[in-house]
Amino acid sequence: GAAPAPLLALALALRTLNCFLVQTSFVPDEYWQSLEVAHRMLFMILNILNYGHLTWEWTNGLRGYSYPLIFASIYKALQLLAKDDVQLLIWVPRLAQAVLAAFADVKLYSLVQHLENAETAKCVFFCQLCSWFTWYSCTRTLTNTMETILTIFALSYYPIKGSRMGNSCKYLALVALAVVIRPTAVIPWMPLVFSHFLQERRKADFILQHCIPVGLVTVGTSLIIDRVFFGEWVLVQLNFLKFNVLQNLGTFYGSHPWHWYLTQGLPVLLGTHLPFFVHGCVLAPRRHRGLLTPVIWTLLLYSTLSHKEFRFIYPVLPFCMIFCGYSLKHLKAWKRSAAGFLLLSNVVPALYTGLIHQRGTLDVMGHIQQLCHHPEQAFVFIMMPCHSTPLYSHVHCPLKMRFLQCPPDLTGNESYVDEADVFYSDPLGWLHKEFDNDKLLPTHLILFNVLEQEISSFLALRGYEKTATVFHTHVPQGRVGSHICVYRRKTEMNL
């Protein structure tokens, strides 16, 4: 049976609240692989406002337009309603993501209810809603978020033994869609699809009637969408694989020890759910141990790649929640105290990471939006680590903006150094060289407070005054300071 309506209402209410209680930035991809691209797709095509910026992944055909197209459609709808106000452009895509997340939560409930019973399903649902990392990520416009949501949807149609919900076409189509949005989605599904294939009595039919048609339709659609926006035929999934796996160029963004996902990645994602997860794995009946395979397989496979991030393993979190719920249900007398502990111990990290940690890079966009009253008079230079802030999707006016660039070198040049690294090796020298002519000077500078001391002589010489200080984080690291400073050039200097 379908999940009860009150459950969906609860999930929708909670995820909507979730959406508005997440006001921090997580990773640049949240904007640069979705909203920035969507904003450029719509507002550049219409040539009403000729602005937008695509990162190197797009100029090199590593990313596809299928995911940004969802947000471009939302922007288009807002534009047709004459409601393309900057606040709506920021929040409506996130609300859409929140609604999808709520449906996924309920799908997870239905799945467990089918496999087990309503009581276990409620425990899994509770664990899912309590998870601090899900709260932190599920309303963000990240490809990893969509990959996770589609994985839950696909799982609900996957033919698990004992489930009557199985539908090969539906689950394969959802997996294929996830792979189009983010090619890595194939990883957790490899063992599941393989195991399904082994169970199928009519193996040839399964491949010819299900796998091939679904694959052709989804890849074909994605190819056509990319053909329209790239203006040429590009197989982005292949480029993505070549870059990240064969050339292992992801290391450009940092590398971690092989055991990172096991010792830090998964424990941090699970948080206080960790003991419940371990307990649930021990308890789970053999017929459900198969759901542990994608978790182990994904962790092992990702461990072989040197560039590691928390969000990469986010799609296996829902699998873990099934085992956590299992554990909770079997704690009979302790169930209520355990649930209370899970709720309280997750509220703090969820609210702290959602409302406080790394919020400055979004708050400062409010200061930049003010310049839209006279965009032709302003020139903003963001002197921060690459892609620290979003750009036009959070400003929505043809303001002249510039930021430090940092594309990786794809030519194999040993001595390559990106613009941001050149800047940070000698900020003062770089600024004097870059802006030797007063006419080229930005009207506004945005920088982290760690840089202030170093370039104070330049700021004084060129007549910049500080107009705002914005809190960013309690844990400044390296080039990222605790606060962001906004500097404006005094007008009498221009006379």
Side-chain angles (χ1 to χ4, degrees):
L7 213 62
L8 181 59
L10 171 71
L12 283 167
L14 208 79
R15 290 303 177 206
T16 304
L17 179 69
N18 185 168
C19 176
F20 291 113
L21 289 180
V22 173
Q23 301 171 14
T24 53
S25 61
F26 179 14
V27 282
D29 281 17
E30 209 175 326
Y31 323 104
W32 290 97
Q33 308 298 354
S34 53
L35 303 183
E36 287 305 322
V37 183
H39 192 275
R40 189 176 182 275
M41 281 161 84
L42 180 62
F43 298 104
M44 287 261 314
I45 291 161
L46 298 166
N47 276 336
I48 304 168
L49 308 161
N50 184 24
Y51 58 87
H53 177 89
L54 289 183
T55 58
W56 64 274
E57 289 103 327
W58 296 88
T59 45
N60 288 288
L62 255 72
R63 300 288 179 138
Y65 281 96
S66 307
Y67 183 56
L69 187 58
I70 301 168
F71 302 114
S73 316
I74 292 174
Y75 287 169
K76 182 67 193 168
L78 286 170
Q79 194 199 29
L80 291 171
L81 297 167
K83 291 270 184 283
D84 56 336
D85 160 69
V86 68
Q87 289 306 321
L88 288 174
L89 292 185
I90 292 169
W91 288 102
V92 176
R94 302 202 35 201
L95 270 170
Q97 204 81 55
V99 169
L100 282 174
F103 276 99
D105 294 336
V106 173
K107 272 287 187 209
L108 195 59
Y109 172 90
S110 303
L111 169 73
V112 181
Q113 190 189 15
H114 269 277
L115 293 178
E116 288 293 318
N117 49 47
E119 198 193 342
T120 313
K122 277 183 188 142
C123 290
V124 171
F125 186 67
F126 177 79
C127 288
Q128 168 77 354
L129 294 183
C130 268
S131 160
W132 81 269
F133 191 82
T134 302
W135 177 275
Y136 181 61
S137 307
C138 75
T139 62
R140 296 182 183 274
T141 49
L142 270 169
T143 49
N144 310 84
T145 298
M146 193 58 105
E147 176 189 1
T148 306
I149 287 171
L150 289 171
T151 290
I152 297 177
F153 283 136
L155 194 59
S156 69
Y157 295 113
Y158 179 76
I160 302 172
K161 277 190 188 133
S163 161
R164 299 179 302 284
M165 303 264 289
N167 182 323
S168 297
C169 266
K170 279 188 185 172
Y171 102 80
L172 286 169
L174 287 159
V175 170
L177 185 58
V179 171
V180 161
I181 286 172
R182 191 170 174 89
T184 53
V186 74
I187 296 171
W189 282 98
M190 281 154 91
L192 290 169
V193 175
F194 185 62
S195 141
H196 176 199
F197 171 73
L198 292 180
Q199 283 166 27
E200 277 289 338
R201 283 196 294 276
R202 301 157 63 186
K203 293 187 172 31
D205 285 358
F206 174 62
I207 290 190
L208 295 171
Q209 289 173 13
H210 292 116
C211 300
I212 291 176
V214 163
L216 287 175
V217 170
T218 39
V219 174
T221 309
S222 134
L223 263 173
I224 291 164
I225 291 172
D226 289 334
R227 171 74 181 81
V228 171
F229 292 102
F230 277 116
E232 56 184 337
W233 293 104
V234 179
L235 189 56
V236 288
Q237 289 78 14
L238 190 68
N239 293 345
F240 184 90
L241 187 78
K242 220 160 54 181
F243 176 88
N244 286 300
V245 182
L246 307 177
Q247 297 173 294
N248 200 8
L249 287 169
T251 47
F252 180 81
Y253 293 108
S255 57
H256 298 78
W258 67 268
H259 55 75
W260 189 83
Y261 284 121
L262 306 167
T263 53
Q264 287 174 53
L266 192 64
V268 167
L269 256 64
L270 283 168
T272 51
H273 284 68
L274 185 59
F276 295 89
F277 172 63
V278 175
H279 182 225
C281 291
V282 176
L283 275 183
R286 265 196 61 189
R287 65 180 188 277
H288 298 333
R289 292 272 165 86
L291 291 175
L292 200 53
T293 322
V295 179
I296 297 165
W297 166 253
T298 303
L299 292 177
L300 291 177
L301 204 60
Y302 269 131
S303 294
T304 63
L305 296 173
S306 48
H307 178 57
K308 299 175 173 69
E309 288 186 41
F310 290 115
R311 62 192 175 107
F312 292 171
I313 56 168
Y314 177 31
V316 302
L317 204 53
F319 291 92
C320 299
M321 289 305 140
I322 295 175
F323 292 94
C324 295
Y326 231 97
S327 162
L328 192 60
K329 184 206 170 232
H330 285 86
L331 287 172
K332 301 191 173 52
W334 292 93
K335 194 158 115 186
R336 188 156 273 180
S337 335
F341 163 73
L342 267 180
L343 184 62
L344 291 173
S345 60
N346 277 276
V347 160
V348 176
L351 292 178
Y352 180 78
T353 54
L355 290 171
I356 300 168
H357 179 60
Q358 295 184 357
R359 64 169 298 141
T361 48
L362 289 180
D363 287 345
V364 79
M365 298 313 287
H367 292 271
I368 299 178
Q369 285 159 17
Q370 302 302 313
L371 304 174
C372 285
H373 301 307
H374 302 288
E376 65 291 337
Q377 292 170 17
F379 168 24
V380 180
F381 184 28
I382 301 167
M383 288 196 290
M384 291 153 104
C386 271
H387 309 121
S388 288
T389 62
L391 211 63
Y392 290 108
S393 66
H394 283 55
V395 177
H396 194 51
C397 73
L399 190 63
K400 186 180 178 191
M401 290 201 276
R402 178 180 170 185
F403 62 93
L404 297 166
Q405 302 276 354
C406 58
D409 170 53
L410 300 174
T411 59
N413 171 8
E414 290 296 311
S415 56
Y416 172 80
V417 186
D418 66 57
E419 184 182 44
D421 284 342
V422 174
F423 169 81
Y424 278 105
S425 63
D426 176 17
L428 200 56
W430 190 93
L431 286 167
H432 282 305
K433 202 165 106 190
E434 191 73 14
F435 301 116
D436 55 351
N437 180 342
D438 267 15
K439 288 191 181 65
L440 305 171
L441 277 173
T443 55
H444 293 75
L445 300 176
I446 314 282
L447 52 129
F448 278 118
N449 56 345
V450 284
L451 197 62
E452 273 185 304
Q453 211 56 50
E454 216 169 334
I455 61 163
S456 54
S457 60
F458 173 83
L459 296 171
L461 182 71
R462 299 305 173 100
Y464 284 101
E465 58 181 350
K466 195 193 300 195
T467 56
T469 305
V470 180
F471 171 78
H472 182 59
T473 176
H474 287 122
V475 275
Q477 282 174 321
R479 298 172 179 178
V480 177
S482 60
H483 289 75
I484 295 171
C485 308
V486 180
Y487 277 87
R488 187 187 65 204
R489 211 161 167 245
K490 292 201 266 277
T491 39
E492 61 268 22
M493 300 288 294
N494 306 342
L495 299 174

